[in-house]
């Protein structure tokens, strides 16, 4: 495990979360971009866990694939499947490009933020349990 690489990925995930939080606090939040950054936050945290364990990660935005890989290392990751974290996957591509122009509602955006926060808290907790000081 390369500690500086793990810390770099955590910082990038935190940056995505910050962008989403900051934008949501505006008078007219750009919900499609907030949802995109929430997916990115979750994806980066899952990849961080794989990197921490010295595992290669696939070049994918599909959170279900990443959750499955993490669950092979730590069975507790099955909780993320129960929480339906994979719902965030659609925001990685569908909302990113102009082919589908729909702004998620504020409620849908808050749900995306909640899911990203759950992944963040969960992965950080698992890393700490494995001895990583955040």
């Amino acid at each position: 495990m390369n500690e500086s690489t793990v810390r770099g990925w955590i910082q990038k995930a935190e940056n995505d979360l910050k962008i989403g939080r900051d934008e949501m606090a505006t008078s007219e939040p750009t919900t499609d971009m907030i949802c995109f950054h929430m997916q990115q936050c979750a994806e980066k945290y899952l990849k961080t866990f794989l990197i921490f364990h010295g595992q290669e990660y696939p070049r994918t935005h599909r959170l279900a694939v990443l959750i499955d890989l993490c669950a092979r290392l730590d069975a507790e990751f099955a909780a993320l499947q129960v929480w339906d974290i994979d719902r965030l996957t659609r925001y990685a591509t569908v909302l990113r490009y102009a082919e589908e122009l729909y702004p998620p509602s504020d409620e849908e955006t808050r749900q995306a933020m909640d899911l990203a926060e759950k992944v963040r808290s969960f992965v950080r907790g698992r890393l700490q349990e494995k001895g990583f000081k955040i």
Side-chain angles (χ1 to χ4, degrees), residues 41-51 63 66-67 70 77 80 85 119 123:
C41 174
E43 179 181 325
K44 287 173 183 143
Y45 264 113
L46 292 169
K47 288 179 178 178
T48 296
F49 189 79
L50 295 171
I51 292 165
L63 299 183
L66 297 172
I67 291 167
C70 290
F77 274 80
L80 300 181
I85 299 301
V119 172
V123 172

Side-chain angles (χ1 to χ4, degrees), residues 89-103:
T89 294
R90 66 187 307 254
Y91 302 130
T93 55
V94 173
L95 294 179
R96 193 170 173 191
Y97 303 107
E99 284 80 29
E100 184 159 339
L101 296 171
Y102 101 89

Side-chain angles (χ1 to χ4, degrees), residues 1-17:
M1 182 256 321
N2 181 327
E3 183 176 338
S4 66
T5 301
V6 171
R7 291 196 183 285
W9 276 81
I10 289 171
Q11 185 58 57
K12 294 296 269 181
E14 289 295 306
N15 291 348
D16 281 310
L17 188 61

Side-chain angles (χ1 to χ4, degrees), residues 30-43:
T30 310
T31 57
D32 60 336
M33 289 294 93
I34 295 169
C35 289
F36 168 73
H37 283 287
M38 294 306 99
Q39 186 283 335
Q40 287 290 289
C41 174
E43 179 181 325

Side-chain angles (χ1 to χ4, degrees), residues 103-130:
S105 68
D106 285 357
E107 178 59 29
E108 182 179 347
T109 303
R110 279 192 273 292
Q111 289 173 2
M113 293 177 77
D114 288 344
L115 291 174
E117 294 271 6
K118 280 184 174 183
V119 172
R120 175 187 185 265
S121 178
F122 182 86
V123 172
R124 289 171 72 96
R126 300 309 296 157
L127 288 171
Q128 288 174 323
E129 284 190 23
K130 307 279 184 192

